Amino acid sequence: MGKIITFTQQKGGAGKTSLAVHLGTTWALKGKSVAFVDSDPQGTLTAWAAMREALDGVPELTFERAEGWKAATVVSKLAGTHDYVLVDTAPHAETASRTATREADLAIVPMQPSPLDLWASDGSIKMIADEDKRYLVVFNRVPPRSTMAEDIEAQVKKKGLKVAKTRLGNRQDFAASFMKGHGVIEYKPRGKASAEIKALAQEIARKV
């Protein structure tokens, strides 16, 4: 069975879809079979997949759209035929996120270095704990020098949350590649953003 990874955060705009895309394309370039499930009614992942269909010379990826309770059946089926199944969940939708997390081997909680993301993560972490699942907080869009980021990190450590060692910087290449239907590893393979996502992919692969 493949590894199921959900991306959940009750606050919108934390980077769930972007993180899923960049990790998935990184694993695909390593020769892994990767499937995505878009359970967010907003459909950002589905829109990215549509752009990717027009590209040549990129690894093949599987995409499914499944909201609510239907996602569990789709995810379980895909895990039988793929190395990784990445599930993008909706913000402010605990029931749908819980359903997807229940199937997961690991839940990823993206967190920007802001009080809003920190406070919103409490609900996500509690939901994951209620389902007795493992999780990893990933700091995303971290500016190079920020007192706020240091303060947020200190509060996260005080809470005892499980945090990835790898941080993703606030780098334009992540957004630029996403807008073209690429993962950053395909768009600029030797850039700093690609180095970060490769390190994160390796870290997660060791934990899942």
Side-chain angles (χ1 to χ4, degrees):
M1 293 290 289
K3 299 300 182 181
I4 300 169
I5 303 174
T6 64
F7 296 79
T8 183
Q9 170 62 283
Q10 290 189 355
K11 175 182 171 295
K16 297 187 307 297
T17 308
S18 175
L19 189 53
V21 160
H22 295 307
L23 285 169
T25 49
T26 299
W27 284 319
L29 281 174
K30 290 289 185 179
K32 302 296 183 180
S33 55
V34 179
F36 293 90
V37 177
D38 189 354
S39 68
D40 186 348
Q42 186 173 335
T44 305
L45 179 59
T46 301
W48 180 84
M51 287 190 293
R52 190 173 179 83
E53 287 182 357
L55 302 179
D56 295 322
V58 295
E60 182 178 351
L61 303 169
T62 300
F63 293 93
E64 295 284 352
R65 184 79 180 267
E67 298 176 24
W69 60 268
K70 295 180 181 179
T73 302
V74 172
V75 167
S76 181
K77 182 178 179 180
L78 289 171
T81 55
H82 293 79
D83 296 313
Y84 291 98
V85 181
L86 309 184
V87 187
D88 186 23
T89 65
H92 312 301
E94 182 177 343
T95 299
S97 295
R98 187 181 294 275
T99 300
T101 299
R102 195 169 291 154
E103 304 298 317
D105 295 291
L106 183 69
I108 299 295
V109 182
M111 184 187 296
Q112 296 180 100
S114 78
L116 293 177
D117 281 49
L118 177 64
W119 299 331
S121 69
D122 288 343
S124 298
I125 298 299
K126 183 181 184 304
M127 180 267 294
I128 294 165
D130 289 345
E131 295 298 326
D132 195 25
K133 294 294 182 176
R134 295 182 300 131
Y135 74 90
L136 198 62
V137 172
V138 175
F139 278 115
N140 190 31
R141 300 173 183 148
V142 179
R145 288 177 295 277
S146 169
T147 302
M148 176 68 74
E150 293 174 0
D151 290 345
I152 295 297
E153 182 177 9
Q155 293 187 50
V156 165
K157 289 181 178 178
K158 187 175 181 180
K159 287 173 175 283
L161 302 184
K162 298 174 183 177
V163 182
K165 294 180 180 178
T166 308
R167 296 175 165 195
L168 301 183
N170 189 20
R171 304 192 187 283
Q172 191 66 31
D173 285 344
F174 285 122
S177 57
F178 188 91
M179 291 298 295
K180 295 180 180 295
H182 284 288
V184 73
I185 194 74
E186 301 164 330
Y187 178 74
K188 194 172 289 186
R190 297 185 183 276
K192 291 182 179 180
S194 289
E196 291 172 352
I197 205 68
K198 284 192 288 186
L200 182 61
Q202 291 172 0
E203 183 177 352
I204 291 173
R206 290 193 296 266
K207 293 180 180 295
V208 72

